[in-house]
Amino acid sequence: MVIDSLKNCARYTSLNPHFAKAFYFISTNDLASLAPGRHEIDGDNVYANVVHGTLKTKEAAKLEVHNNYIDIQICIKGQETFGWIKRESCVMPDGEYNPDKDILFFKDEETAFVTLNDGEFAIFFPEDGHTPMIGEGEIKKCIIKVRA
């Protein structure tokens, strides 16, 4: 997991061959003006999902992992808390893996929490269990999906 400000995003391009395209998209678009939905960057290798949503309580939010994609979760407007746990510590699945959505949910308890504000981001790798959408009120966020 990585947590930082968008102004430092260029520092992370070497972490994955597709990150340069992801961070170029972030730096050349006004994320606040993007419409909700999917935005193509590099086909299925890199794409963005813009979401307007209502945040949930920690108990209602779902712990998730991905096998094939890295999440770059960007807080555009609002404040969002994320839970985190090592994937290897996730032992209580909540359903089956969905290959179409590259997601598997768990019932395990997170071991850490972090809160993002406008202009901050978190990177969650396949080895990171994460619980997004924790907090109060509404959020506008962008999730860049990057093939691992």
Side-chain angles (χ1 to χ4, degrees):
M1 177 178 66
V2 173
I3 301 161
D4 206 340
S5 168
L6 285 176
K7 66 182 179 184
N8 299 321
C9 67
R11 294 180 179 174
Y12 303 100
T13 58
S14 64
L15 294 179
N16 177 284
H18 301 294
F19 273 16
K21 288 179 182 176
F23 288 122
Y24 180 78
F25 176 86
I26 292 166
S27 66
T28 59
N29 284 276
D30 177 9
L31 299 179
S33 69
L34 291 177
R38 182 173 168 141
H39 297 265
E40 296 297 326
I41 300 171
D42 183 22
D44 286 335
N45 290 322
V46 185
Y47 60 93
N49 281 322
V50 176
V51 176
H52 283 116
T54 301
L55 298 169
K56 304 172 184 174
T57 64
K58 184 171 77 166
E59 296 74 26
K62 291 191 160 226
L63 172 64
E64 62 186 55
V65 299
H66 308 292
N67 292 343
N68 302 312
Y69 284 92
I70 299 163
D71 277 2
I72 303 173
Q73 300 249 359
I74 304 159
C75 183
I76 297 171
K77 184 162 179 52
Q79 186 179 67
E80 180 180 13
T81 297
F82 291 85
W84 178 87
I85 184 173
K86 295 184 298 188
R87 182 179 184 150
E88 64 191 41
S89 297
C90 296
V91 295
M92 297 180 353
D94 187 11
E96 299 293 321
Y97 173 71
N98 181 333
D100 294 331
K101 294 184 178 184
D102 185 39
I103 198 164
L104 174 60
F105 295 105
F106 284 90
K107 294 180 181 180
D108 298 271
E109 292 289 323
E110 303 87 344
T111 57
F113 291 88
V114 62
T115 299
L116 298 183
N117 295 293
D118 298 0
E120 296 176 337
F121 70 96
I123 302 173
F124 297 103
F125 296 91
E127 57 270 14
D128 296 314
H130 58 286
T131 308
M133 300 296 289
I134 299 172
E136 294 180 5
E138 300 292 315
I139 186 88
K140 182 173 185 180
K141 65 188 285 183
C142 180
I143 307 156
I144 308 282
K145 304 295 279 186
V146 179
R147 190 175 300 281

